[in-house]
Amino acid sequence: MKRSAPLVRRTPLERGTTPLARSRTPRPRRLKRPAMDVGLRHQVYVRAGGRCDCCGTPLPGDGWHAHHRKLRSRGGTDSLENLVALLPGHHEWVHAHPARATAIGLMVPSWADPAAVPVRRGERWYLPTGRTWTLTLDPSETPHV
């Protein structure tokens, strides 16, 4: 595109600055919400027995994710019944495949109570009752969510 005249700035710059210098000033990042309580995160790890709640693989010390079964955007809270310990790859899988994750209890619909929806761990279904997993169904039975 051919221009007839050079571009002219309409608003004056502050003395001694350039447009790029002003735009590169870093802004402090604010968290949208406070970080999860460290004690609660530890309880999730202990309840999982140090293993991924999806596959049973041992979790690395700090390289695991506490996943909200009922998403915070759907009204989920930071409670032990609403959290599961997942490897990062499984956490990505849960969010990429919500229908399948809901079918095995790793995700909960907005209208459901996470404490009442079982999670499939291996071949059995468990309810997250506080600090332990409680066996809830025979392996041959599967809940219809």
Side-chain angles (χ1 to χ4, degrees), residues 1-144:
M1 176 165 67
K2 191 173 181 181
R3 296 178 193 248
S4 59
L7 295 176
V8 178
R9 184 172 186 88
R10 293 182 185 178
T11 57
L13 290 174
E14 295 175 16
R15 192 171 186 108
T17 63
T18 64
L20 292 177
R22 286 191 306 175
S23 65
R24 291 184 185 166
T25 306
R27 293 182 181 169
R29 292 186 66 191
R30 292 183 357 211
L31 292 175
K32 292 182 182 178
R33 60 179 210 86
M36 184 183 300
D37 180 41
V38 176
L40 178 63
R41 185 174 162 83
H42 178 70
Q43 288 176 359
V44 172
Y45 183 83
V46 169
R47 182 186 65 194
R51 297 186 168 275
C52 177
D53 285 324
C54 185
C55 68
T57 304
L59 295 169
D62 243 3
W64 61 278
H65 295 183
H67 167 67
H68 290 80
R69 295 174 60 212
K70 182 175 183 179
L71 302 178
R72 290 176 293 171
S73 62
R74 296 178 181 173
T77 60
D78 288 349
S79 65
L80 197 53
E81 292 79 19
N82 192 34
L83 293 167
V84 290
L86 297 177
L87 291 168
H90 290 141
H91 194 191
E92 291 173 16
W93 180 87
V94 166
H95 288 284
H97 302 91
R100 286 194 236 162
T102 302
I104 60 174
L106 292 175
M107 199 172 268
V108 176
S110 60
W111 47 265
D113 178 17
V117 177
V119 177
R120 184 174 179 189
R121 300 180 77 222
E123 295 299 318
R124 297 188 177 196
W125 293 88
Y126 294 87
L127 277 174
T129 54
R131 296 181 182 193
T132 61
W133 288 105
T134 304
L135 184 63
T136 180
L137 297 171
D138 186 342
S140 62
E141 300 176 26
T142 57
H144 299 287

